[in-house]
Amino acid sequence: MIPGRYVLCIAFALAAVVFAVPENDTSTAHLRPLDVEILHSLYRISTPVVSPNFMQALYVTSRYDPETNRSFSMLTMLDTTNGTAVQLTPEMEGERISNPLWLSQDVAGYLLKGALYRHDLSPGTNGTLLYNTTTNINNAAYRIDATMLFFTADVFADGDIGRVSEHIEVEKKRADSAQVFDNLWARHWDKWMTSRKANLFTVTLNGTSTSNSQHPVREINLMQQLDAFEDPLLRWEVEGYAASSNGKHVAFVVRNPGLDMAWSTNVDIYIVSTDGNSKPKLLTGNFKGAAGGPAFSADGTALAWLQMETPGYEADARHIHIFNITTGDVREVAYDWELSPHFLVWSEDGNELYALAHEHAETRVFKIDIVSGARAKLGVPGCVSSIARLGGDRLLAVYSNTTQSADIYTINVADAQLPMQRLTDVNGDKLRDVYLGDTEDFWFTGARGDFVHGWMIRPYGFVATQKYPAALLMHGGPQQASAHAFSHGQWNPNMYASAGFVTIQVNFHGSPGYGQNFTDSVRQQWGGYAYDDLMAGLDYVIKNYDFVDSKRLVALGGSFGGYMANWINGNTDRFSALVSHDGQFDVVS
C-alpha cells in the first residue's frame, strides 16, 4: 500500500475533489442537477405481464419517499394499444405487492405477504385473498385453460408443504440453535444454508372464484420424485422454472446436490408432467456447466434453454438448445453466435426466438431463425431489460438508456426499421427539468493491443473553457459490464456528472458484449488487463478532452470495482481519492 493513502467513503472522497458549478452556463441553466433525493424518489416498474388477449399488461409501480423514509407499491394495468395506465390498487406502504399475473381476461392476481390475491380490475380497490398455505409462496404463475397455479415455497426435507408449520414449531422448542455442516456450502452470499429449500409446486385453483375458502385437493410437489441426497442441507432447490401455456409440462432449474456445490456450476434443467405421476426427466445431463432460462413455445411442443458448457465457469458463453417434447430430440441453434444471450421468448408461430444479449454496453433484442440461426437486431440503441410476446408482430419491452429511466415500449418484430412505440412515461414529471447528460463513446487501444470501449458524460453546468475533475466508475465482476442503461443505484453516472465531474466508464477486458474471447481474457489477469485498460482509457480522455483536469481524479467501484480501487491504491498515486465499496484485498483469504 502507498503510505499516507486511504480508501475513503464516497462522501469524503468526492468532497476531496469537488468544485463549485459555474453560474454562467446557459446550456443547463433551466435544469436542476440530479441529486440523491430526486434519484431515490423515482418510480420503478416491474416486468409487465401480458393479458390473454394481448390488449393489457399488469405491472407493479413502486416508489420510495425520502422525506418519510417509507416505500410504497401499487398494481397498475396498461392498455397496450394506446398506453393508458390505470392504478388498480391503492398505494400500499411497507409490504410490497409483487408477482402480477392473470387469472382470467377479467381478473388479475398478485402476491402480498406470501399469499395470492385476486383483483377484479376495479380502479383504486384492494384485492381479496384467493389462496394461501402454511408458508409463503413465491414466483407464482397461472395457466388459465388448465386452472393450475404454479409456485415455489420453502419446505423441509420431507417436501410436504402441509407440514411446514409443524416442523417450525419443533425447531422453536429446541434448546439450542447449533447447526453442523458437513460440507463447504455453509453460506451463500448473506444466506445460511438450512434444511428448508425452495421446491416447485402446483395446485388446481379456480382463479375467477370470489371465495377465499377454496380447499384444493392437494398441492403437488413436482420435485418430490428426484433422487434423494443423504445430507438434508444439500437437497435439491429450484432456482427457476417455466410452465407450458397448456399447463401440461413444467421445466425447472436446479443445482445438482453434492459435496462440491460450493464451487460447482453443474446446474441442470428437468422437465416433468404436471400431474405429479412421473419422475422428472433430465435434459442437460451431457453438460457440467450451468443451464438456465427455460422457455416453452406457444403451443407447448418445444422447450428452449440457455446452456453453458465449461464446468466451474460462471461467465461462460450461453448457447441456445431446443428440446422437441414429442420426439425427444435436442438441437443447437445459432451456435456460432459471438454474443451470449441471457433471456429467450418464442414467436407466436414457433419459427423464431427473440433473445436479449449484451453488445457494446447495450442490451439489445435479437430475432433468431430457429432453423438457419440467422439473426437480426431489433429496436434502438440502449438497454432492454425484459420482453414479452404481445401477439402479431409485436413485443412488449422495458427499455431505458442513460438519459431516460425505464419505460414500457412495443417493438415491431417484422420490420427492424420501424421505431419502438413508447407506452409509458412513469418519471416524466420528475425528470423533465433534471440534467441527464448523454454518453460520448470512444474506443482506444488497451491491453493485448485490443480495442477497448469507454464513454464519458460531461458535467452539469459544462463550460468548454473550464477544467473539471473526473470520476472513473469501475464496474464489478470482473466479467460484468457497465451499460448505457438508467440506474437507480449509487453508480448512476449522472449522479457524479451532476456533482460536477466528467464521468468516465470503461468496459475493460472481461466485460461481456465484445465476444467471448474478450470476456475470457481477464481470467488470471485481474490486476493486469483490467488495470491496464482503465489507465489507458483515462489517458485517452485526458489527452483528447482538454477540459479534464488530470490533477483532480477520483476512482470508484463496487465488488470487483472495489478490488480494483484497492489495486490502484497499491500501484499508482495519480488519484486524489479512491472509493472501495465491498472490494477484496486478498483473493486467497
Side-chain angles (χ1 to χ4, degrees), residues 20-242:
V21 175
E23 298 179 356
N24 59 344
D25 174 59
T26 58
S27 62
T28 59
H30 63 293
L31 299 176
R32 298 177 293 154
L34 179 65
D35 59 23
V36 173
E37 286 76 17
I38 295 173
L39 182 70
H40 290 303
S41 70
L42 296 177
Y43 291 108
R44 306 186 189 200
I45 56 175
S46 70
T47 299
V49 180
V50 178
S51 65
N53 67 1
F54 305 117
M55 302 294 286
Q56 292 88 25
L58 296 170
Y59 60 93
V60 175
T61 304
S62 59
R63 69 178 180 91
Y64 169 74
D65 184 353
E67 293 185 3
T68 62
N69 192 30
R70 295 175 179 175
S71 296
F72 301 86
S73 64
M74 59 186 177
L75 184 65
T76 309
M77 182 173 66
L78 176 71
D79 187 315
T80 61
T81 63
N82 59 27
T84 301
V86 177
Q87 180 180 333
L88 293 182
T89 64
E91 275 198 327
M92 298 188 184
E93 179 186 344
E95 290 286 348
R96 180 174 175 175
I97 290 177
S98 66
N99 203 153
L101 46 80
W102 291 93
L103 300 171
S104 75
Q105 179 54 50
D106 302 312
V107 179
Y110 59 86
L111 295 187
L112 180 65
K113 299 180 180 179
L116 176 64
Y117 286 73
R118 70 179 300 282
H119 195 284
D120 64 6
L121 308 186
S122 299
T125 60
N126 288 310
T128 56
L129 180 64
L130 180 64
Y131 171 77
N132 64 357
T133 182
T134 61
T135 186
N136 288 349
I137 68 172
N138 302 287
N139 308 308
Y142 189 73
R143 295 297 176 259
I144 295 172
D145 292 340
T147 63
M148 298 182 75
L149 176 70
F150 301 91
F151 60 89
T152 65
D154 293 347
V155 293
F156 289 84
D158 59 10
D160 188 345
I161 196 171
R163 297 187 62 199
V164 171
S165 297
E166 176 186 334
H167 288 300
I168 291 175
E169 289 303 313
V170 171
E171 284 194 338
K172 287 180 179 179
K173 295 176 181 178
R174 286 182 55 184
D176 62 79
S177 60
Q179 177 67 64
V180 176
F181 293 94
D182 292 321
N183 63 84
L184 290 178
W185 212 26
R187 190 177 72 172
H188 187 62
W189 295 102
D190 61 348
K191 177 184 176 183
W192 289 99
M193 295 295 117
T194 71
S195 56
R196 290 186 69 181
K197 306 291 184 185
N199 279 203
L200 177 61
F201 293 86
T202 185
V203 64
T204 300
L205 186 72
N206 182 357
T208 60
S209 172
T210 58
S211 170
N212 63 2
S213 59
Q214 296 187 65
H215 297 285
V217 175
R218 62 179 179 135
E219 291 107 338
I220 300 174
N221 186 334
L222 295 172
M223 298 166 56
Q224 191 72 19
Q225 296 193 45
L226 290 172
D227 294 335
F229 194 77
E230 60 271 18
D231 187 341
L233 295 176
L234 295 178
R235 292 186 299 108
W236 302 94
E237 184 166 25
V238 63
E239 297 185 1
Y241 76 93

Side-chain angles (χ1 to χ4, degrees), residues 516-529:
Q516 191 60 33
N517 179 270
F518 192 86
T519 302
D520 294 342
S521 66
V522 80
R523 302 177 79 179
Q524 309 300 320
Q525 284 289 335
W526 282 22
Y529 296 162

Side-chain angles (χ1 to χ4, degrees), residues 461-524:
F462 177 75
V463 177
T465 57
Q466 190 163 331
K467 289 278 191 179
Y468 295 90
L472 177 63
L473 304 185
M474 303 175 293
H475 68 68
Q479 288 159 317
Q480 298 174 7
S482 295
H484 294 340
F486 192 92
S487 169
H488 288 270
Q490 70 267 39
W491 303 115
N492 186 313
N494 265 300
M495 286 284 291
Y496 301 89
S498 276
F501 291 86
V502 176
T503 307
I504 303 166
Q505 293 175 279
V506 171
N507 273 344
F508 44 77
H509 279 78
S511 306
Y514 303 89
Q516 191 60 33
N517 179 270
F518 192 86
T519 302
D520 294 342
S521 66
V522 80
R523 302 177 79 179
Q524 309 300 320

Side-chain angles (χ1 to χ4, degrees), residues 358-371:
H358 301 306
E359 183 184 44
H360 298 174
E362 297 173 344
T363 304
R364 301 297 298 270
V365 182
F366 293 85
K367 179 172 63 175
I368 306 169
D369 186 290
I370 66 168
V371 177

